[in-house]
Amino acid sequence: MSIKTILTFLLLMILQTAHAEGESTPDFIRSIGKIYVVAGVCLIILITLFIYMIRLDRKISRIEKRQKNEY
Amino acid sequence: MMQESTTNSSFRLAAWKWAAMIILIFVFIAGWIVPLKPGIIKVTPDRAVAGEMIVVDVVGYNSFYLTDTTKLRAWLRLAGDTVIQAHHIQAWDDRNLAASFYIPSVFPVRQEAYPLTLVLDHGSEGTSILPNAIFITPASEQDTAEMKLWFRDKIEHVHEKAGIQYPFRNILSETIRNTYFHVPMWFCMIILFGVSAWYSLQYYRNGDIDFDRRSVAFIKVGLVFGVLGMVTGMLWAKNTWNAYWSWDVKQNMSAISLLIYAALMVMRSSVEDEMQKARLTAGYNMFAFVLLIPLLFIIPRMTDSLHPGNGGNPALGGEDLDNTMRMVFYPAVIGFILLGLWISQLVYRTDKLKGNL
Amino acid sequence: MNRILNLVATEARIELRERSALSGIVLYVLSSAFIVFSIWKQLPPKEWGLTFWVIFLFCSLMAVLKTFGRESEGRYFYYYTLYHPLELFAAKVIYNLLLLVFIFFVLWFVLFVMAGNPILRIGWFFVTGLMSAIGLSFLLTLITSIAIKTQQNASLTAVMALPLMIPLLINILRLTAYASGTTPDENPWNEMMLLSSIISLVIGMSLWLFPYLWRS
């Protein structure tokens, strides 16, 4: 559950920073042909997938631990 | 412990998982390093009166105006072969040039304002186009003799830039690369939901609880990809349409499909009996997937949309994808689908281990 | 067929015996129409159609949920031993269909009195209403039969049914816009075809899945 909240929080952070940077220097994220949008998209995909994998990893370790206790 | 180490040493990664990794590495590299063709970002002034000499400043993108300055040619196009060629072109630097045109005071067609398209040809650097670059308001005095000026010049012998490049599209510019990262998310989601519906059908036939576990794993991962597609789309929309959410038909339909499957997960969590849960999931899953088909494939085509790739055939339209892009786009779709299947398998195996305990 | 009609008659008799049930629906229609109208103050043709279908959707959701929620576990078991699931489903659908058509006319009358009638092609509007009643009665009956097996049936019916209704709703709204002449589109047959194909999908899927889901 906590991981889920962290995940949503992180995504929101990315969106917010992207948004904030867009405001302070009006053209940062839109500069160089909006290449930073592509960068943001790639980062969101990679970070989300990594977080999902980490969550899965933790789940598996928990199962392994329980399995060990049973033997 | 002994057993674990032996299973570890004999562990082989399946070929399609290697393929997924290699394809995705290729996609990430090719998606990033291939440059765009030259384009035109801005033209000032964007408004002028007919019957006068105008000098327009052109801001280019990925352009090298200083190389071979003599090979620069520019036209303003009204329609088809109705064009005006620039008298003189002066390149200031690689990305800025000034072109002077004489706009005739009469037009072959009668309109309130005349949007003209700027066409720029630059030797080996290729052609770039900006549609509706300048709006011309009609002149107060009209000289019918100037009509023939429209037909004097022709756009001919234009060049294509050699080498591997992605096309430059206005509004999109560099974000055309999102075709390789954002669009495959949706393909992946649909395929994962489809596989899940197929496993639900298997559960319907056999009643084996294992199929239920599989179908749920695929829905979980499909939802992750759906959310990714939506969030990446929103980031793009914020910087292109100036709003995270603008009620475009594609945004709505994708949100609805996510809502349907989220409802399925909520429904699962509120049923206690395992068999009941599995049966209700299978039924609802198949029902939802069948209804998803008109939602995702028919209704968006019947409605106007600002989304790139629209105009009949979403995402795979011939206009938005050229052959260079196809060489990266298809691998991207395949790679992300394989990755999605891989992750779903891991989720399924985890759930199975958990269920067996 | 007779057995199905018998079931429908039983349903109707139970419903009519409790007078609060039917009048409850009428009051629901009336009060929601009143609230929406007092927010809008006046209804131009376009908003009239939207208001109509929003109220219709929520009323039908509530009405269908009620026909299921009324019955106890014991009655289901009793039915289950007596009737084939498809007979039961058909009876429920026919009864809900009648209910939805009833709601349709009540709501139309209420809005007619309150805000006038912007519908120019009345035949098209009724056909649309009938089609949507058919589609929604099948869809809602199936979804409600899933939802009542869970712990929190009322909210889950809405959560599961509303997103699935949207493909129907989009076409219904387009046809209503055509019926009230607020769209330049002069050829409604495309939408009609799409609507009827979606409805036949819904009918086919629910006839296939209901006997399976009903088992317990």
Side-chain angles (χ1 to χ4, degrees), chain C:
Chain C
M1 198 60 212
N2 255 340
R3 284 154 64 92
I4 295 172
L5 288 181
N6 245 339
L7 260 179
V8 176
T10 323
E11 287 270 358
R13 219 175 302 131
I14 296 165
E15 185 90 46
L16 289 176
R17 201 189 305 144
E18 290 176 53
R19 205 153 292 143
S20 66
L22 209 59
S23 53
I25 291 171
V26 176
L27 270 179
Y28 190 99
V29 172
L30 208 70
S31 48
S32 46
F34 193 79
I35 285 178
V36 172
F37 188 67
S38 56
I39 292 170
W40 280 106
K41 295 287 192 286
Q42 65 204 358
L43 283 179
K46 211 171 174 183
E47 281 72 18
W48 193 97
L50 300 179
T51 310
F52 184 92
W53 289 109
V54 168
I55 298 174
F56 183 75
L57 225 63
F58 283 99
C59 286
S60 53
L61 245 169
M62 193 209 58
V64 173
L65 185 64
K66 232 174 168 180
T67 61
F68 270 95
R70 211 177 43 226
E71 296 172 49
S72 59
E73 280 284 317
R75 265 264 289 295
Y76 281 128
F77 189 71
Y78 171 66
Y79 279 156
Y80 189 68
T81 51
L82 270 185
Y83 296 98
H84 187 265
L86 273 184
E87 288 179 318
L88 211 62
F89 184 64
K92 285 267 182 217
V93 165
I94 291 170
Y95 180 70
N96 286 331
L97 177 63
L98 294 176
L99 209 61
L100 292 195
V101 171
F102 172 71
I103 292 175
F104 179 83
F105 280 108
V106 169
L107 183 58
W108 186 64
F109 180 73
V110 168
L111 279 187
F112 183 83
V113 172
M114 281 180 171
N117 179 25
I119 304 295
L120 305 174
R121 303 177 175 97
I122 210 94
W124 274 100
F125 185 60
F126 284 161
V127 169
T128 312
L130 187 67
M131 300 275 282
S132 64
I134 294 171
L136 287 182
S137 61
F138 272 93
L139 196 144
L140 285 174
T141 310
L142 184 79
I143 297 298
T144 315
S145 76
I146 295 177
I148 53 157
K149 307 230 161 140
T150 64
Q151 259 81 46
Q152 28 170 307
N153 50 44
S155 58
L156 258 188
T157 315
V159 165
M160 296 196 327
L162 283 176
L164 286 177
M165 282 180 192
I166 287 178
L168 283 176
L169 187 69
I170 288 171
N171 283 293
I172 289 169
L173 284 178
R174 285 207 194 127
L175 282 171
T176 312
Y178 171 74
S180 56
T182 51
T183 169
D185 188 12
E186 281 302 312
N187 181 20
W189 287 105
N190 260 340
E191 272 88 29
M192 207 48 166
M193 285 292 290
L194 189 56
L195 181 62
S196 39
S197 52
I198 292 176
I199 286 175
S200 42
L201 265 184
V202 169
I203 292 175
M205 288 300 283
S206 49
L207 285 180
W208 172 46
L209 288 173
F210 185 81
Y212 175 68
L213 290 168
W214 192 241
R215 256 192 278 151
S216 65

Side-chain angles (χ1 to χ4, degrees), chain B residues 85-345:
Chain B
Q85 189 163 7
H87 289 252
H88 181 69
I89 295 177
Q90 172 74 50
W92 302 116
D93 58 36
D94 272 339
R95 290 191 56 190
N96 287 286
L97 63 78
S100 45
F101 296 91
Y102 177 73
I103 311 284
S105 54
V106 286
F107 292 88
V109 284
R110 186 161 278 283
Q111 283 164 250
E112 293 210 345
Y114 302 87
L116 297 184
T117 298
L118 180 69
V119 180
L120 195 73
D121 184 56
H122 184 199
S124 58
E125 289 294 319
T127 317
S128 37
I129 295 172
L130 183 68
N132 303 337
I134 304 182
F135 284 85
I136 307 289
T137 38
S140 46
E141 289 167 36
Q142 298 186 342
D143 183 2
T144 39
E146 287 178 3
M147 186 71 90
K148 65 176 187 298
L149 287 176
W150 283 108
F151 305 101
R152 193 184 55 192
D153 309 311
K154 265 203 180 76
I155 301 181
E156 47 193 4
H157 309 303
V158 290
H159 300 79
E160 204 33 56
K161 185 162 183 172
I164 298 169
Q165 260 118 14
Y166 300 141
F168 180 92
R169 304 249 181 264
N170 293 295
I171 303 170
L172 289 181
S173 58
E174 292 282 357
T175 62
I176 201 165
R177 296 171 201 272
N178 273 356
T179 320
Y180 315 132
F181 306 113
H182 159 75
V183 182
M185 297 291 119
W186 297 115
F187 280 76
C188 189
M189 181 193 84
I190 292 165
I191 295 285
L192 291 181
F193 285 164
V195 172
S196 161
W198 192 76
Y199 278 128
S200 280
L201 186 67
Q202 296 304 306
Y203 178 77
Y204 168 82
R205 283 194 189 144
N206 304 338
D208 184 354
I209 198 81
D210 195 51
F211 285 120
D212 174 62
R213 227 177 263 138
R214 277 175 200 265
S215 78
V216 173
F218 279 88
I219 290 175
K220 281 182 189 164
V221 180
L223 272 172
V224 171
F225 275 90
V227 169
L228 272 178
M230 193 146 95
V231 173
T232 55
M234 276 161 74
L235 177 63
W236 178 84
K238 177 66 193 170
N239 294 291
T240 311
W241 298 339
N242 240 330
Y244 288 118
W245 200 266
S246 49
W247 303 104
D248 191 73
V249 64
K250 284 204 176 170
Q251 286 184 319
N252 290 345
M253 297 303 132
S254 53
I256 290 161
S257 55
L258 288 182
L259 276 181
I260 290 173
Y261 283 92
L264 191 146
M265 297 312 284
V266 171
M267 188 265 282
R268 267 182 81 79
S269 66
S270 62
V271 185
E272 308 238 299
D273 180 41
E274 282 295 318
M275 295 310 277
Q276 182 96 298
K277 187 189 273 188
R279 190 169 53 242
L280 294 183
T281 306
Y284 186 74
N285 191 11
M286 286 188 277
F287 191 69
F289 187 71
V290 169
L291 276 194
L292 210 63
I293 292 167
L295 198 67
L296 289 177
F297 297 105
I298 300 172
I299 292 174
R301 290 173 202 218
M302 294 179 66
T303 323
D304 291 331
S305 170
L306 286 173
H307 195 282
N310 246 68
N313 194 359
L316 283 171
E319 262 280 304
D320 282 286
L321 272 183
D322 71 350
N323 283 329
T324 321
M325 290 193 72
R326 280 203 184 91
M327 267 160 46
V328 187
F329 177 65
Y330 293 144
V333 170
I334 293 167
F336 274 109
I337 286 173
L338 289 180
L339 184 70
L341 293 176
W342 187 0
I343 298 176
S344 321
Q345 285 245 305

Side-chain angles (χ1 to χ4, degrees), chain A residues 44-57:
Chain A
I44 288 173
I45 290 171
L46 285 179
I47 290 174
T48 313
L49 287 181
F50 280 140
I51 288 175
Y52 195 77
M53 295 309 259
I54 292 168
R55 226 190 88 184
L56 202 62
D57 197 321

